Amino acid sequence: MRCKLVIANWKMNADKAAVAKLLAGYVDAINSTAKVVACPPAPYLFQAQQQLEGTAIAVGAQNASQFESGAYTGEVSLSMLKDLGCQYVILGHSERRSLFGEQDKDVAEKFVATLQAGLIPVLCVGETREQRQENETDAVVSGQLDAVINAAGIDAFAEAVIAYEPVWAIGTGDTATPEQAQQVHKLVRDKLAASNVDIAQRVPVLYGGSVNAGNAEELFGMPDIDGGLVGGASLDAAAFAAICAAAN
Ligand code: PEP
């Protein structure tokens, strides 16, 4: 059995008071057998780690530098994230790719560096609306995976999480149907299985893209969907708790 996992991506939202309130809401409301991870903005990671100490909720970052240290103004290193108590790092989110120019090569380097630092990478892959309309979904997702498999090796996925996030579904309210999502999740697993069947069976593959309390159960019920990466709905403790409960 693969473990179920639900990750909250707060993006660039909240302040000190809102972080405290939202995390208190998580602790009160979440009752799930799934592993739950909160990814607040980087300046609040320390606060989040302190508040979640002793709870079952882990802390993750939304991005990290592939470089160890030095003259990289504005960047945050993986050793810093580890020092703060982070366990997970989201990598290659479509907003990082489209707004900040991250290429497959950067994502692959970050993936390798994350594992070397002893953290768990959450590798995001997914196609744009135009790519789906052009029937390029399989090729795009395969290419994004290949970039990382070629750099890190298949064995590296034993300690990784993959999130399929169709770009057209992120923050739009346009969720992939459970069947559409399952089709790509199976593609992801088959792709890994071509190199290592055991790892393909073990790696959690999450769905992300307008997951909410109303659609989570059906999505998470699909055979290759092991939970979710949740943006907007994770900013509401009750809605997020309901999503986590759907991953039981
Ligand atoms: C995300 O940011 O990864 C995401 C899936 O956002 P939303 O749930 O708001 O679509």
Side-chain angles (χ1 to χ4, degrees):
M1 275 291 282
R2 287 184 291 277
C3 77
K4 295 266 185 185
L5 184 63
V6 186
I7 302 180
N9 175 14
W10 294 4
K11 313 195 189 200
M12 199 169 72
N13 292 297
D15 57 18
K16 227 165 30 171
V19 168
K21 189 164 171 225
L22 191 48
L23 289 179
Y26 278 18
V27 172
D28 275 355
I30 294 173
N31 182 8
S32 173
T33 53
K35 179 80 199 156
V36 176
V37 183
C39 300
Y44 303 115
L45 287 167
F46 181 69
Q47 179 187 343
Q49 174 54 30
Q50 297 275 298
Q51 193 173 341
L52 293 174
E53 189 90 59
T55 74
I57 304 173
V59 174
Q62 300 173 17
N63 182 33
S65 171
Q66 64 268 55
F67 305 113
E68 272 177 35
S69 63
Y72 300 102
T73 301
E75 291 291 282
V76 175
S77 76
L78 284 149
S79 60
M80 292 170 189
L81 295 177
K82 182 146 195 191
D83 201 21
L84 289 175
C86 282
Q87 293 178 46
Y88 293 79
V89 188
I90 299 172
L91 296 176
H93 190 282
S94 71
E95 287 151 18
R96 300 289 327 160
R97 293 180 192 258
S98 67
L99 301 174
F100 302 100
E102 278 191 20
Q103 305 293 317
D104 280 346
K105 176 178 168 293
D106 304 310
V107 177
E109 285 173 7
K110 290 178 181 208
F111 185 98
V112 171
T114 299
L115 287 168
Q116 276 168 357
L119 285 97
I120 300 171
V122 180
L123 170 66
C124 300
V125 297
E127 80 289 359
T128 64
R129 192 180 297 279
E130 294 69 34
Q131 289 165 334
R132 174 162 283 265
Q133 281 161 354
E134 295 298 320
N135 287 323
E136 291 170 0
T137 300
D138 292 10
V140 169
V141 170
S142 286
Q144 290 169 335
L145 284 173
D146 274 336
V148 179
I149 296 171
N150 292 340
I154 189 70
D155 291 350
F157 282 81
E159 304 301 332
V161 175
I162 296 173
Y164 168 56
E165 297 210 304
V167 180
W168 49 272
I170 297 178
T172 59
D174 255 358
T175 319
T177 64
E179 293 73 25
Q180 280 174 321
Q182 166 60 25
Q183 199 176 21
V184 182
H185 281 238
K186 181 159 183 336
L187 168 101
V188 168
R189 214 175 293 289
D190 286 350
K191 170 109 197 137
L192 299 180
S195 301
N196 187 315
V197 174
D198 278 357
I199 286 177
Q201 280 310 316
R202 269 190 5 224
V203 64
V205 185
L206 313 183
Y207 169 78
S210 299
V211 174
N212 60 42
N215 61 26
E217 193 168 343
E218 227 192 325
L219 283 160
F220 299 168
M222 300 308 278
D224 286 295
I225 301 184
D226 304 311
L229 176 52
V230 185
S234 71
L235 296 170
D236 176 322
F240 187 62
I243 292 169
C244 294
N248 271 336

